[in-house]
Amino acid sequence: MKTLNNIFEKNKKWASEIRDNSPEFFSQLAEQQTPDYLWIGCSDSRVPANQLMDLPPGEVFVHRNIANIVVHTDLNCLSVIQYAVEVLKVKHIIICGHYGCGGVKAAMEDEQHGLIDNWLRHIKDVSRFNAHKLEGLTEEEKFDRLCELNVIEQVKNVSNTTIVQNAWNEGKDLSIHGVVYNLKDGILKDMDTTVFSMEGLDKLTNNK
């Protein structure tokens, strides 16, 4: 029988190192979490939120799924957003895509992949909405650009939730950001899509 002994050993080593450097860390962490950030990212194992932002446990509330998609029928994602905004009172929601995203690549292919195709329809819609921005590009350029456009679309989707709009109407300090992570150099690219009001959302939406 295969076990997780190696994982448990690594966990003990990690916890011990944390305690050596900060003896009160875990006792303080257990009391509450007060993150300023909600991270909505891809499930890809190469894109870990805390590590690439160099933030310790407790600083980032995280939701991940295939291709960092936010749709209004996904009660799981919406529940995360609501908890983050209304209970944790985060100040920033970051939607992070990444170049080389397998979900985006699968959505570009003209073949079936099984159950996931139903989820990837959302990316196909992004491609359809932005067809004029993808014209004339090589396949590699189109792949990268669709990863970016998918992030921008999800910024709009998050901003259009009743959760975020209610927060803005109540005068809460809440900003929605879109970024893309480059696996090749570890750098986050700001998509310059920060929205913190209905006016900002209208401007982003009308920027065809």
Side-chain angles (χ1 to χ4, degrees), residues 20 37-38 107 120-121 130 134 160 164 166 172 189 196 200:
D20 289 343
Y37 307 97
L38 165 60
L120 297 181
R121 282 301 318 172
N130 296 277
L134 299 171
N160 274 307
V164 169
N166 287 342
K172 292 182 179 178
K189 177 181 180 179
F196 50 86

Side-chain angles (χ1 to χ4, degrees), residues 144-206:
D144 286 348
R145 187 58 178 147
L146 190 53
C147 290
E148 296 174 345
L149 292 170
N150 182 48
V151 166
I152 296 171
E153 189 67 22
Q154 307 320 315
V155 169
K156 297 176 187 176
N157 287 346
V158 171
S159 300
N160 274 307
T161 62
T162 57
I163 303 158
V164 169
Q165 295 198 0
N166 287 342
W168 286 338
N169 289 334
E170 294 168 5
K172 292 182 179 178
D173 180 13
L174 179 63
S175 300
I176 319 301
H177 311 266
V179 302
V180 179
Y181 180 64
N182 193 331
L183 295 169
K184 296 180 180 179
D185 61 15
I187 300 300
L188 288 171
K189 177 181 180 179
D190 186 355
M191 293 307 302
D192 194 25
T193 56
T194 296
V195 180
F196 50 86
S197 66
M198 289 299 299
E199 292 77 12
L201 174 59
D202 290 340
K203 182 178 180 181
L204 179 62
T205 301
N206 294 325

Side-chain angles (χ1 to χ4, degrees), residues 69-89:
I69 293 172
V70 178
V71 290
H72 302 303
T73 54
D74 185 353
L75 297 183
N76 182 4
C77 184
L78 293 182
S79 296
V80 169
I81 295 173
Q82 181 178 22
Y83 187 80
V85 172
E86 297 182 4
V87 179
L88 298 178
K89 302 186 185 308

